[in-house]
Amino acid sequence: QEGRNRFCFFSHDLEHSIMERHHLETRLRKALINDELFVHYQPKFDLRTNEIVGAEALVRLVNDEGEFISPAEFIPLSEESGLIIMLGKQVLNKACAEAKRWLDKGHIIPISVNVAAAQFADPDLACVIKEALLNNDFPAHLLELEITETALMIDAADMQNKLSELTSLGIKIAIDDFGTGYSSLAYLKKFNVDVMKIDMSFVKDMLNNKHDYEIVKTIISLGKSMGLVLIAEGVETEAQRHALIELECFMGQGYLFSRPLNTSDFETFVIQKKLQ
Ligand code: C2E
Ligand code: CA
Ligand code: CA
Ligand code: CA
């Protein structure tokens, strides 16, 4: 009997989460159709000089109460529902349009856009990118795609073709969340990429966990030996900044420097930095 009670309880919970999910999907669909997605920008820094060397575009969805919903909540859902293709296209276009505005004001800031596995697998991706660059009159060399190693590996056989199709457009490719995926070293040498982003889960504890420190150190030497640009995510303290410089990783982003900012705050931030 207890079992039956439990069953009822769980089914009620499940119903609730299904309804919540449905609600979120409806919200997302509406935002996509009405062009109501926001994009925030987190600056990337030269760890030694404190100069801005780029920015990452991070999508934001607003709920009925006007609060921001975390992409960690709606990106998985948009991947499952296929909405990620439309979402990715919108974010890419907004990011290129925004970075073009900065450029026209004299701020040369490379922009990075996250690309989900389904987008990387989409045969239209190169076309979508070409269009975004053309429509916004934005130079290809200032656009970078951040792709996780897991997404790269989804179609391992075709990965190299896809990567060269993309790099032939003149854009840059970064491996995102490096160290958290399941690619083997044998595949790593086939990644024809420009940048390696060290996942923040390793940076977070690098100074209080010997293993994490060694992992960061190893990723950096691996990246360097492959001739890649290295960038650390989630830099929150001065001590981490110094440790990364010591290990010869010279780029980073994180709350130590700035949270992701809306377009007007980002612009103010950039102008203030230039005046310093
Ligand atoms: P990510 O690509 O690894 O992005 C970094 C996340 O860490 C962002 O969370 C950022 O706000 C947060 N972050 C930055 N600095 C710090 C720090 O110092 N400490 C901590 N604790 N966190 C920091 P956000 O914006 O919530 O995005 C979460 C994830 O959602 C992203 O992880 C990315 O995987 C995904 N995402 C965001 N925007 C897009 C998008 O336009 N397309 C796709 N496909 N995925 C996106
Ligand atoms: Ca990213
Ligand atoms: Ca990450
Ligand atoms: Ca991620």
Side-chain angles (χ1 to χ4, degrees):
Q1 273 197 330
E2 207 191 350
R4 275 186 75 182
N5 277 338
R6 265 206 205 117
F7 179 75
C8 283
F9 179 72
F10 277 124
S11 105
H12 181 78
D13 244 26
L14 195 65
E15 198 178 292
H16 183 73
S17 78
I18 288 170
M19 273 168 61
E20 236 170 37
R21 198 199 131 99
H22 180 73
H23 189 74
L24 190 58
E25 190 175 323
T26 307
R27 185 74 202 83
L28 180 62
R29 262 180 215 283
K30 191 170 153 257
L32 286 167
I33 291 165
N34 300 335
D35 192 24
E36 290 167 348
L37 284 179
F38 287 84
V39 181
H40 284 183
Y41 299 89
Q42 186 178 39
K44 300 180 179 182
F45 289 82
D46 181 317
L47 296 173
R48 291 174 294 184
T49 64
N50 229 4
E51 275 169 312
I52 296 176
V53 293
E56 177 174 3
L58 293 156
V59 66
R60 297 289 181 261
L61 176 65
V62 174
N63 69 12
D64 304 332
E65 285 77 46
E67 303 150 338
F68 287 116
I69 309 167
S70 165
E73 245 176 273
F74 64 88
I75 291 292
L77 179 139
S78 62
E79 292 191 278
E80 288 157 30
S81 59
L83 293 172
I84 190 71
I85 299 293
M86 202 172 162
L87 180 150
K89 200 170 169 176
Q90 290 190 10
V91 172
L92 185 69
N93 271 286
K94 283 179 196 289
C96 288
E98 193 57 26
K100 169 65 175 170
R101 274 201 334 109
W102 303 334
L103 196 57
D104 287 344
K105 292 187 178 182
H107 312 300
I108 306 166
I109 304 174
I111 185 83
S112 310
V113 177
N114 290 285
V115 168
Q119 289 176 269
F120 184 63
D122 180 6
D124 285 342
L125 181 63
C127 267
V128 168
I129 290 164
K130 239 187 274 176
E131 248 178 55
L133 293 170
L134 269 174
N135 289 345
N136 294 292
D137 189 23
F138 189 65
H141 72 276
L142 292 180
L143 177 65
E144 178 177 288
L145 303 184
E146 296 192 2
I147 312 177
T148 64
E149 50 182 331
T150 311
L152 286 172
M153 295 289 299
I154 282 194
D155 191 354
D158 203 31
M159 172 179 62
Q160 280 174 296
N161 291 334
K162 295 213 131 172
L163 283 176
S164 31
E165 190 190 8
L166 293 174
T167 48
S168 74
L169 299 175
I171 62 173
K172 304 263 169 16
I173 309 280
I175 315 183
D176 206 357
D177 298 348
F178 189 78
T180 62
Y182 53 78
S183 59
S184 70
L185 291 177
Y187 271 107
L188 193 57
K189 64 176 185 193
K190 296 188 184 170
F191 288 158
N192 176 20
V193 301
D194 310 281
V195 178
M196 195 181 250
K197 290 194 84 175
I198 306 167
D199 192 63
M200 75 174 88
S201 61
F202 305 120
V203 176
K204 190 172 178 283
D205 289 321
M206 67 179 285
L207 293 179
N208 38 43
N209 181 314
K210 180 95 183 79
H211 288 140
D212 285 345
Y213 183 85
E214 290 302 325
I215 290 171
V216 171
K217 191 175 162 184
T218 305
I219 292 176
I220 292 171
S221 72
L222 189 62
K224 273 194 0 199
S225 70
M226 292 171 61
L228 302 179
V229 171
L230 284 147
I231 174 159
E233 292 183 334
V235 183
E236 294 189 355
T237 67
E238 272 298 327
Q240 289 165 347
R241 183 173 79 88
H242 284 293
L244 287 161
I245 292 172
E246 195 126 285
L247 293 174
E248 296 183 32
C249 170
F250 300 125
M251 277 167 67
Q253 65 186 111
Y255 297 166
L256 173 64
F257 304 100
S258 169
R259 292 187 173 251
L261 302 168
N262 67 34
T263 52
S264 78
D265 288 349
F266 183 85
E267 214 170 302
T268 310
F269 188 88
V270 168
I271 291 165
Q272 276 172 355
K273 267 266 161 272
K274 281 210 172 161
L275 295 177
Q276 272 172 19

